[in-house]
Amino acid sequence: MIKSALHKIFTASMAILVLFSTVSFTVEKHFCGDVLIDMAIFNAAEKCSSYIVDVQIINHCCKDTVDVIKGQDELNVKSLTDLDFDQQLFLTAFTYSYLNLFEGLPELVVPHKNYFPPNLIADIQVLNQVFII
């Protein structure tokens, strides 16, 4: 029970790790002076025009920064020919031995298949009054 739960947790965490390592996204920040006005991850950040009315101040103090967080874009896919000879030998031997674990069972031989017990004429235990308690 604990082993299966740990297996499921490990599998889910590895899937999430692969997902987050390959996803790219941008973080857009809008500053007015030294004050962070808005930060957005997937869409455009809101400008500070609604906060400051003076157009001259907006043009001089506001700045936008965009941080691009790139995920892994090159996944290495290897084939059997990319492995060296020792690794190929181990892999083929392991596969062959693993597949032979699941051979079919031989036909089950039942020695008493055609045996029929003799007809019961009298119940000997009742006649001799010998009972198993």
Side-chain angles (χ1 to χ4, degrees):
M1 173 114 168
I2 294 174
K3 185 178 179 181
S4 65
L6 286 175
H7 186 266
K8 289 179 183 179
I9 290 170
F10 181 72
T11 306
S13 63
M14 289 300 289
I16 290 171
L17 178 71
V18 168
L19 177 70
F20 283 126
S21 69
T22 56
V23 171
S24 301
F25 58 94
T26 60
V27 178
E28 187 173 341
K29 298 176 187 175
H30 182 75
F31 291 96
C32 266
D34 292 334
V35 178
L36 176 66
I37 299 298
D38 191 26
M39 182 176 84
I41 295 178
F42 293 112
N43 53 1
E46 185 179 329
K47 306 298 180 199
C48 63
S49 62
S50 62
Y51 298 106
I52 299 173
V53 180
D54 192 7
V55 177
Q56 294 175 349
I57 295 175
I58 291 175
N59 291 336
H60 294 293
C61 72
C62 292
K63 65 178 177 178
D64 293 324
T65 60
V66 177
D67 299 327
V68 177
I69 300 170
K70 291 187 73 172
Q72 183 180 3
D73 57 349
E74 294 179 11
L75 296 177
N76 297 332
V77 179
K78 293 191 174 189
S79 65
L80 188 63
T81 58
D82 294 338
L83 301 174
D84 61 349
F85 180 72
D86 293 335
Q87 291 173 337
Q88 287 179 0
L89 182 65
F90 173 76
L91 189 61
T92 53
F94 181 75
T95 305
Y96 180 75
S97 64
Y98 185 74
L99 290 177
N100 284 338
L101 287 175
F102 300 108
E103 287 182 357
L105 293 174
E107 186 176 328
L108 192 60
V109 177
V110 180
H112 57 277
K113 179 179 170 185
N114 295 324
Y115 174 74
F116 297 106
N119 291 332
L120 187 63
I121 298 172
D123 194 359
I124 297 173
Q125 288 182 344
V126 174
L127 289 176
N128 294 331
Q129 293 189 358
V130 178
F131 302 106
I132 300 175
I133 296 178

